[in-house]
Amino acid sequence: MSRRLHIEVFRYNPLDPESKPHMQSFYVNEYDSMTLFIALNIIRDQHDPTLQFDFCCRAGICGSCGMVINGRPGLACHTQTKDLPEHIVLHPLPVFKLIGDLSVDTGVWFRDAGTRIEAWVHNDHDSFDPTQEEARMENALANEIFELDRCVECGCCIAACGTARMRTDFLGAASIARVARFYLDPRDERNVENYYEVIGNDQGVFGCMGLLACEDVCPKHIPLQDQLGIMRRMLALHSVKGILPKALIEKLAHKGCCHENHKS
Amino acid sequence: MNSSTITLHAPAKTKTQGRLDVLQMISGVLLILFLWAHMLLVSSVIIGPGVMNAIAWFFEETYMAQVGGPLIGLLIFVHFLLAARKMPWKTSESEAFIKHSVMMKHRDTWMWLAQVATALIILVMAFIHMWVVLTDLPITAVKSAARIQHGGWLPFYLVLLPIAESHVGIGFYRIGVKYGVITADNRNWYKRKEYALMGGFIVIGLITLVRFMYLPLYSGM
Amino acid sequence: MQIFYTDLLCIGAGLAGERVAVEAAKAGFDATCLSIVPPRRSHSSAAQGGMQAALGNCVMGEGDSPDIHFEDTVKGSDWGCDQEVARIFADTAPIVMREVAHWGVPWNRVEHGPATYYKGGKPFEAAESKEKHGLIHARAFGGTAKWRTCYTADGTGRSVLNTLDSMCLRYNVNIHDRTQAEALIHDGENCIGAIVRCLRTGELMAYFATATLIATGGYGRIYKATTNAVICDGGGQIAALDTGIVPLGNMEAIQFHPTGTVPTDILVTEGCRGDGGTLLDVNEYRFMPDYEPEKAELASRDVVSRRMQEHMAKGHGVKSPYGDHLWLDIRHLGEKHITTKLREVYDICTSFLGVNPISDLIPVRPTQHYSMGGVRTNKDGAAYGLSGLFSAGEAACWDMHGFNRLGGNSLAETVVAGRYVGKKVVEFLKGHSVDFKQSALRDAHAKIEERIKRLSGSSGKESAIVLRDEMQDIMMDYVGIFRNGKDLQTAVDKLEELHARSMNIGLQGKAIGFNPEISLALRIPGMIKLAQCTAFGALQRTESRGAHTREDHPERNDKDWLNRTLAYWKDGDSLPTLKYEDASPYFEIPPGERGYGGGKIIHADIPAEKLHVPESNASDNAASAEDTK
Ligand SMILES: Cc1cc2nc3c(=O)[nH]c(=O)nc-3n(C[C@H](O)[C@H](O)[C@H](O)COP(=O)(O)OP(=O)(O)OC[C@H]3O[C@@H](n4cnc5c(N)ncnc54)[C@H](O)[C@@H]3O)c2cc1C
Ligand code: HEM
Ligand code: SF4
Ligand code: SF4
Ligand code: FES
């Protein structure tokens, strides 16, 4: 062990008129079990206290620390230096607004996306009756919803998406999977028509070009590829309702997903 | 739609974008089927020029070539229009995408770029090819062989063949992905199949070309 | 300077902050949440286990009721909690679990038929009932009589936080993320907002608010080894303490977890030991049976933590660049068990430690985990000392946890208190209009601006980074799991010195706009104060109760210490002023044996009228601190 790591970091402070985007090199001794979280903190503590980066949970659960690590978006806190070559190059995530150095504004981006797709359960919230037992649900369905709720909004899938890089208004895989989460949820009273209104366009499902970089980088292994496919097929079929025979649409719509009993 | 275009009209609900997506997919599928069929028909020359001539004769007698040919041309054009919606026409877009592919070193991302690049080449070459073939009916093995042996068309086909096949191969895989037929579970399987298919057709195509090169021009007529 | 006006200002957008904001927004008020990070990154998202609520749906929870939950909570607190509050909590928890289910939380559900569960590492069979099929399921957690921890797989915090955040979106709660509250705006009677630093630009901003809520979570970062997120630095508690009139309650009550991993202190579950994992020292010798012959590794959280600390102090720890640690050994459980039943542990080890638990030992050490103390509030969540100031969640000392909180109770507290306090905040908003005094704003702003100026000037010689490290070391070494008068006195002395040095911090690097070093430099003096409240409170409390363990005072002393510490910090002082109030207004369950943990109890004479629930316990108990000492 005990390599001397050469960590090259993108530096730019947009608020400083003197600052120009450039790469800066730091050298850090590697220890056992070292992660990029530790390495970057050593750099900040010992070399440059002005270095900007975002960490919060440092356990891969909060999604703060997405950055481009040797060309691939990933979570810095759960990247171990021993899995990387001696020369490590770090960039901030593209697509999102740069705050400074490695820090980007994913929060505002996701909030905006959430507003566009109306990311909440659409039901009558006031109808909640504290004296009644909860509406029942199959455990398998609950697990399936949770599977999509695990997204930490780290933005890696967005930054890895060629479409999102070309087209700033593309909602990206995480948002589409979020809609899929509500589509699965029987508590959400929206129908297919309603979902079509929010993502049935080139900023949504039809904008995706199937590059699958999202699927390949997602640190939480959210089933993005499958959900993108299911949603696209479902909404594409919806758009040709009345043109294609109904039986055919029904047959194609539910292939490979658990939405059989879903309202349409 | 955004807050500045919303001022122009009361926003109508529209299903256009979904339908265009479906049309693009259908045009793609039809072209895949066409190209594979076309490849098989042409490669019949490997068995013997007689077989190819007979097939060509059949298509012409039934006017499928005369009508079908331009229809395919039209289909290619329609497909082009639909797919062009997704192409990075602006320099800013293509630059962003190229930089992105370089950064990511991600094969599926590169493949899309390959598809766009091949598309532009096909756009030109496919129409030249169709013009040449369809303005010089009937189609016969000897005529094709003559073009290849003396007309300088060999390099043309050596370019068009792999380019068309890769465009179609990638397109086939991506339609599967986009519409959820290819899932995370079977993706690798399909990817292997796609490469095999692409490779297979290119090999068949090459053998066909070789056959044309060595086809005696004055016999069998 | 930019000035915002809002009805409710929530400092913090974790579960507690967002739940209160939703309540106010639903009632038609303008609610604004501040957060250092986007709300969904708040540390609530890290809680995996679950939330306790006596729904009694699962077979192992049959016959459960809020009464039993209440009893478990009081025992867990070692009778240090406010029983009125614990009662409100236990009674409301089931409703709140159903409410968030209605809003979209995908709770795991009961599946009827036989199921295999684990208890003490051994599998057993139980049959879930048909009538309960599809209702909210529950799992086991330490210190409870019934299985009542509602959960969504291994991501309860994540899914509940997502749901609450979606409600904020739904009800148009303003979210201002990447902001950090630095000081409260108040005139000595009313709290009317906060001075806030923007973490994008470094600018100061002001928020005027009719009601202000502190929901900033724990302050674990005063310790070096903590399972808390790096943003859990006690910003809210510091702002409250800095007013000089708002007290913090029970700051010495700190919970440690035996198995935080080294180097990054990520928690691995108790299930490892439950299923048969053992603890080894530097010689790979299993030492726990020497200390606890009967229970060995399966003794309670605080006992195991204490023994580990003791063993390391004897020099049997494993040395590493990240400090001493011990080993957790689960290799003998086998690949299948580790990759299925303990999959989460497997994932943490492989992706964060680079250790494969099937063939390697896991480096662990006792790690700070939870702060029971915080901004002292009455049962309505209103802070002492200032009208219009509220607090909820881990930041608050609402005080249902006393000196030890049960696993699964804190996550539940955030939403239960959030709902309850939220309703009280709405009542307050309906009944109040405040005068947004510009002079109060100017005072608060000037103080912070002045501090930033001083930092950027060239006079300061101390490094914030060095002070932080020293503070964290002091806390680890002298205010850890085992405490004694001598160590605590050392800590208090050293922290006093640090406090003085912290007045003299200078920046190491310069940056225009946002400078992360300023964030730390602004925070450190306050964190040292929190550390001092903890150390000084612990020094004064000459008994052992719950997580507070004094070697020199091993008995629980109900006669003298059945009370709550209130720490005030007067401007210019170098030590907090401690006052005390009764632990509980009355004792529905009189102080007694916990039934685990052992230890001697010095009994108190509690007046008879305090031993039952008063007729009119709805009456507002005024929030005045009584000096019992
Ligand atoms: C690893 C781990 C696992 C846990 N597991 C469980 C469990 O299974 N069951 C259980 O019951 N409990 C568990 N807990 C405890 C529980 O998660 C916390 O007590 C609870 O989530 C705290 O919620 P909160 O809303 O009070 O604070 P947090 O969720 O911590 O939110 C604090 C908010 O305040 C903001 N903030 C902080 N300072 C400032 C400032 N100065 N200005 C502006 N905003 C600020 C932050 O950005 C954040 O939005 C666990 C804790 C940890 C660390
Ligand atoms: C006229 C020139 C052509 C152009 C400009 C063109 C362009 C494109 C582009 C840009 C795409 C990608 C679209 C996207 O990612 O959404 C595409 C996809 C595709 N192309 Fe072409 N192409 C042409 C000709 C052809 C021909 C001749 C064939 C087959 C014989 C073909 C078959 C396909 C297929 C199957 C797809 C996948 C369709 C989809 O993803 O929906 N193309 N084409
Ligand atoms: S889908 Fe995956 S990559 Fe995308 S934001 Fe969510 S967790 Fe990150
Ligand atoms: S599959 Fe779609 S969303 Fe994912 S990277 Fe590709 S284009 Fe982007
Ligand atoms: S810091 Fe939370 S995911 Fe990396």
Side-chain angles (χ1 to χ4, degrees):
Chain A
M1 268 293 225
S2 210
R3 296 184 296 175
R4 191 151 170 82
L5 300 175
H6 172 198
I7 303 183
E8 217 182 314
V9 183
F10 174 88
R11 299 300 305 267
Y12 177 52
N13 177 359
L15 295 174
D16 181 352
E18 304 278 284
S19 169
K20 298 248 162 2
H22 65 283
M23 300 302 290
Q24 186 177 358
S25 287
F26 297 98
Y27 295 87
V28 174
N29 289 332
E30 188 177 34
Y31 298 128
D32 278 349
S33 303
M34 192 181 228
T35 61
L36 284 181
F37 164 72
I38 298 175
L40 281 168
N41 275 292
I42 290 180
I43 293 178
R44 182 142 93 187
D45 285 358
Q46 298 174 7
H47 300 278
D48 187 345
T50 63
L51 180 63
Q52 290 191 54
F53 50 72
D54 294 319
F55 286 102
C56 177
C57 71
R58 51 82 186 97
I61 328 181
C62 76
S64 294
C65 62
M67 58 182 73
V68 179
I69 304 160
N70 286 350
R72 282 284 175 116
L75 292 179
C77 73
H78 93 14
T79 302
Q80 292 167 53
T81 53
K82 72 164 192 205
D83 296 335
L84 297 173
E86 222 164 85
H87 183 198
I88 300 169
V89 184
L90 303 176
H91 287 271
L93 291 182
V95 182
F96 302 99
K97 185 169 175 244
L98 180 73
I99 291 177
D101 301 339
L102 295 175
S103 170
V104 293
D105 205 334
T106 44
V108 165
W109 194 96
F110 274 99
R111 207 148 196 87
D112 174 57
T115 314
R116 282 164 67 194
I117 61 173
E118 302 183 11
W120 58 83
V121 166
H122 286 54
N123 62 6
D124 179 5
H125 293 146
D126 294 327
S127 72
F128 172 70
D129 180 352
T131 61
Q132 291 298 307
E133 76 182 14
E134 61 275 17
R136 290 173 194 244
M137 181 187 269
E138 285 304 315
N139 194 46
L141 179 57
N143 277 328
E144 215 160 324
I145 296 173
F146 176 68
E147 189 64 12
L148 299 182
D149 241 352
R150 280 170 38 246
C151 165
V152 296
E153 301 194 345
C154 60
C156 291
C157 61
I158 313 294
C161 172
T163 311
R165 271 192 88 168
M166 288 194 295
R167 312 215 150 83
T168 48
D169 57 356
F170 181 53
L171 277 166
S175 321
I176 294 165
R178 178 64 44 81
V179 175
R181 179 244 176 269
F182 290 108
Y183 174 56
L184 268 178
D185 195 330
R187 291 166 293 201
D188 193 321
E189 288 160 6
R190 281 182 281 184
N191 58 21
V192 176
E193 176 70 28
N194 302 137
Y195 293 120
Y196 189 88
E197 277 166 37
V198 290
I199 54 164
N201 50 43
D202 286 344
Q203 290 76 48
V205 269
F206 302 129
C208 162
M209 303 194 297
L211 311 176
L212 294 190
C214 52
E215 167 93 5
D216 293 340
V217 300
C218 174
K220 302 312 275 184
H221 306 293
I222 308 287
L224 295 171
Q225 170 182 358
D226 294 354
Q227 291 305 324
L228 286 168
I230 290 169
M231 293 311 279
R232 185 186 210 123
R233 189 170 60 211
M234 191 263 294
L235 294 178
L237 287 169
H238 179 72
S239 77
V240 292
K241 225 178 218 168
I243 300 178
L244 290 188
K246 210 169 166 186
L248 184 66
I249 292 186
E250 286 291 303
K251 192 155 171 269
L252 291 173
H254 295 311
K255 206 178 147 283
C257 71
C258 75
H259 301 168
E260 261 88 348
N261 43 10
H262 212 282
K263 67 261 169 176
S264 55
Chain B
M1 176 185 17
N2 60 35
S3 52
S4 57
T5 55
I6 211 167
T7 56
L8 295 177
H9 50 75
K13 282 187 190 168
T14 156
K15 290 185 175 167
T16 314
Q17 307 204 12
R19 287 178 185 165
L20 290 179
D21 199 60
V22 173
L23 276 182
Q24 179 184 330
M25 186 258 295
I26 292 174
S27 71
V29 170
L30 289 178
L31 284 172
I32 295 174
L33 294 176
F34 160 74
L35 195 75
W36 289 348
H38 169 277
M39 202 67 235
L40 291 173
L41 297 183
V42 176
S43 65
S44 60
V45 75
I46 302 174
I47 303 170
V51 183
M52 175 176 160
N53 288 344
I55 293 175
W57 175 82
F58 171 75
F59 275 86
E60 277 156 42
E61 276 305 288
T62 52
Y63 286 92
M64 272 160 81
Q66 293 88 328
V67 180
L71 272 184
I72 292 292
L74 191 64
L75 181 59
I76 292 180
F77 187 65
V78 168
H79 170 77
F80 160 69
L81 287 180
L82 290 167
R85 297 175 307 141
K86 301 297 167 78
M87 292 185 39
W89 294 115
K90 290 188 203 150
T91 19
S92 62
E93 288 174 352
S94 42
E95 259 175 24
F97 201 94
I98 291 169
K99 272 203 200 114
H100 182 70
S101 310
V102 172
M103 170 189 108
M104 289 282 296
K105 304 186 188 71
H106 178 254
R107 188 168 321 153
D108 284 21
T109 303
W110 277 113
M111 280 187 348
W112 188 78
L113 210 53
Q115 213 180 9
V116 171
T118 51
L120 292 173
I121 300 170
I122 294 172
L123 179 61
V124 177
M125 293 182 107
F127 279 98
I128 295 175
H129 164 69
M130 278 169 52
W131 182 260
V132 168
V133 174
L134 292 178
T135 51
D136 191 18
L137 289 175
I139 299 170
T140 68
V142 168
K143 259 201 248 169
S144 301
R147 271 198 291 269
I148 287 170
Q149 288 174 25
H150 301 294
W153 285 88
L154 182 64
F156 180 89
Y157 284 121
L158 278 180
V159 173
L160 182 57
L161 168 73
I163 278 185
E165 286 304 339
S166 13
H167 185 90
V168 165
I170 299 171
F172 170 72
Y173 167 73
R174 298 230 336 278
I175 287 180
V177 167
K178 284 177 173 178
Y179 282 87
V181 178
I182 298 179
T183 61
D185 286 341
N186 61 24
R187 176 173 167 199
N188 282 332
W189 187 85
Y190 269 102
K191 222 173 184 167
R192 279 199 302 277
K193 285 285 158 311
E194 174 217 330
Y195 292 142
L197 220 54
M198 233 153 77
F201 275 107
I202 292 177
V203 169
I204 295 179
L206 287 175
I207 296 175
T208 308
L209 284 178
V210 171
R211 184 79 176 99
F212 275 129
M213 270 174 71
Y214 294 104
L215 198 71
L217 293 182
Y218 302 104
S219 73
M221 272 298 286
Chain C
M1 184 178 49
Q2 218 173 348
I3 303 180
F4 297 87
Y5 291 84
T6 183
D7 294 324
L8 169 65
L9 178 68
C10 292
I11 306 176
L15 282 177
E18 289 207 322
R19 183 61 189 84
V20 175
V22 165
E23 198 63 38
K26 280 178 69 155
F29 290 102
D30 184 58
T32 304
C33 284
L34 306 179
S35 177
I36 298 177
V37 291
R40 288 184 191 210
R41 312 218 190 291
S42 298
H43 203 49
S44 293
S45 66
Q48 305 184 317
M51 296 189 176
Q52 285 205 42
L55 289 161
N57 292 329
C58 73
V59 56
M60 298 303 293
E62 246 167 50
D64 198 9
S65 71
D67 290 341
I68 307 178
H69 187 186
F70 169 71
E71 193 180 323
D72 284 343
T73 303
V74 173
K75 280 186 185 161
S77 80
D78 222 353
W79 276 270
C81 73
D82 181 325
Q83 296 201 8
E84 190 179 6
V85 167
R87 186 37 106 173
I88 295 171
F89 166 76
D91 287 353
T92 330
I95 296 173
V96 177
M97 299 308 126
R98 293 185 180 127
E99 185 181 57
V100 294
H102 186 67
W103 293 347
V105 173
W107 293 120
N108 277 89
R109 304 297 181 126
V110 177
E111 286 174 295
H112 74 84
T116 306
Y117 297 122
Y118 282 80
K119 201 165 193 175
K122 294 196 180 56
F124 66 94
E125 290 261 319
E128 296 289 358
S129 88
K130 202 164 171 129
E131 298 84 73
K132 302 286 187 187
H133 182 81
L135 296 177
I136 299 172
H137 197 240
R139 59 159 60 130
F141 248 40
T144 64
K146 301 275 179 189
W147 288 23
R148 72 166 79 84
T149 307
C150 312
Y151 64 100
T152 55
D154 57 358
T156 310
R158 167 97 274 144
S159 66
V160 181
L161 189 58
N162 283 1
T163 300
L164 278 183
D165 195 47
S166 76
M167 290 296 284
C168 286
L169 210 56
R170 159 91 173 78
Y171 286 102
N172 279 320
V173 172
N174 311 307
I175 301 286
H176 294 188
D177 65 0
R178 288 184 186 266
T179 55
Q180 183 151 8
E182 294 294 345
L184 297 175
I185 305 174
H186 69 95
D187 58 7
E189 276 163 30
N190 297 297
C191 177
I192 49 174
I195 299 291
V196 175
R197 183 158 164 270
C198 172
L199 303 182
R200 291 184 175 83
T201 62
E203 305 270 316
L204 290 182
M205 314 178 283
Y207 286 75
F208 268 134
T210 309
T212 305
L213 174 91
I214 295 179
T216 51
Y219 54 94
R221 286 282 152 184
I222 61 172
Y223 285 86
K224 176 147 280 166
T226 172
T227 61
N228 286 192
V230 296
I231 61 164
C232 295
D233 56 12
Q237 290 90 331
I238 294 170
L241 192 65
D242 278 346
T243 60
I245 34 187
V246 179
L248 305 181
N250 278 351
M251 293 294 279
E252 63 270 33
I254 301 269
Q255 188 175 72
F256 285 79
H257 198 286
T259 52
T261 54
V262 182
T264 30
D265 308 309
I266 301 167
L267 192 73
V268 297
T269 157
E270 271 165 2
C272 293
R273 281 169 295 128
D275 292 1
T278 56
L279 291 167
L280 308 181
D281 66 13
V282 64
N283 304 315
E284 302 196 9
Y285 170 72
R286 184 175 171 208
F287 58 92
M288 276 306 290
D290 296 353
Y291 295 98
E292 300 283 330
E294 221 161 278
K295 293 213 150 165
E297 282 86 358
L298 292 177
S300 71
R301 251 187 213 187
D302 38 339
V303 174
V304 177
S305 300
R306 267 176 243 152
R307 296 308 186 192
M308 290 169 74
Q309 201 66 36
E310 195 177 339
H311 201 64
M312 284 196 286
K314 288 184 191 160
H316 301 304
V318 184
K319 302 264 178 289
S320 84
Y322 311 102
D324 285 8
H325 63 77
L326 295 162
W327 299 116
L328 173 65
D329 183 7
I330 57 172
R331 295 172 301 186
H332 50 285
L333 302 182
E335 175 163 357
K336 183 152 172 281
H337 188 95
I338 294 174
T339 52
T340 54
K341 291 278 172 278
L342 296 173
R343 188 175 140 203
E344 179 203 314
V345 177
Y346 179 77
D347 288 347
I348 290 174
C349 291
T350 47
S351 35
F352 294 94
L353 311 176
V355 159
N356 180 355
I358 300 166
S359 55
D360 303 330
L361 299 171
I362 309 169
V364 293
R365 66 183 160 205
T367 300
Q368 192 280 354
H369 184 49
Y370 185 80
S371 18
M372 273 73 76
V375 179
R376 175 63 184 144
T377 70
N378 66 13
K379 70 170 196 250
D380 296 342
Y384 289 10
L386 283 177
S387 161
L389 181 64
F390 295 81
S391 183
E394 192 173 341
C397 181
W398 191 36
D399 220 5
M400 52 168 281
H401 302 303
F403 276 78
N404 181 52
R405 66 108 185 175
L406 295 182
N409 255 359
S410 49
L411 209 54
E413 177 193 8
T414 60
V415 277
V416 174
R419 178 183 151 105
Y420 188 83
V421 173
K423 290 192 190 304
K424 299 294 171 185
V425 167
V426 167
E427 276 171 31
F428 178 87
L429 288 173
K430 283 187 176 146
H432 278 75
S433 65
V434 290
D435 174 13
F436 291 138
K437 286 190 190 139
Q438 296 295 331
S439 57
L441 183 153
R442 272 197 304 276
D443 287 351
H445 175 253
K447 257 189 215 154
I448 301 300
E449 179 141 76
E450 168 64 27
R451 284 182 60 196
I452 295 179
K453 272 220 191 83
R454 220 162 348 112
L455 287 173
S456 317
S458 53
S459 61
K461 295 285 172 282
E462 297 287 348
S463 145
I465 295 163
V466 170
L467 290 181
R468 177 200 64 197
D469 290 349
E470 285 188 28
M471 168 190 68
Q472 290 176 338
D473 286 336
I474 295 172
M475 295 306 284
M476 291 305 289
D477 293 345
Y478 304 110
V479 201
I481 304 162
F482 270 125
R483 301 165 175 186
N484 61 57
K486 189 166 137 276
D487 282 358
L488 289 169
Q489 188 62 55
T490 314
V492 169
D493 295 344
K494 284 182 178 248
L495 287 170
E496 237 183 315
E497 183 209 321
L498 276 196
H499 175 67
R501 283 166 62 194
S502 74
M503 301 293 118
N504 197 23
I505 298 178
L507 296 184
Q508 315 292 303
K510 301 267 180 282
I512 290 175
F514 172 70
N515 179 354
E517 197 189 359
I518 296 188
S519 305
L520 183 69
L522 279 175
R523 197 88 329 169
I524 285 300
M527 288 175 78
I528 294 176
K529 286 187 194 173
L530 296 185
Q532 187 64 290
C533 291
T534 307
F536 196 54
L539 175 65
Q540 298 302 318
R541 185 172 283 275
T542 47
E543 66 153 355
S544 294
R545 185 181 295 275
H548 170 71
T549 311
R550 288 283 297 255
E551 295 163 306
D552 45 354
H553 297 277
E555 67 293 329
R556 185 180 96 199
N557 185 344
D558 286 347
K559 193 151 153 278
D560 301 315
W561 289 103
L562 194 55
N563 60 16
R564 178 176 305 107
T565 312
L566 297 178
Y568 296 80
W569 202 293
K570 304 259 154 52
D571 203 24
D573 281 2
S574 65
L575 275 181
T577 308
L578 301 187
K579 296 183 181 177
Y580 296 88
E581 66 175 359
D582 284 351
S584 188
Y586 52 83
F587 295 90
E588 193 177 334
I589 307 179
E593 296 277 354
R594 286 166 102 187
Y596 51 88
K600 217 179 107 211
I601 298 174
I602 300 173
H603 291 282
D605 294 324
I606 297 170
E609 77 271 12
K610 279 207 152 192
L611 285 177
H612 55 81
V613 185
E615 298 283 300
S616 59
N617 73 342
S619 77
D620 236 326
N621 39 352
S624 64
E626 315 156 17
D627 274 321
T628 56
K629 290 232 91 184

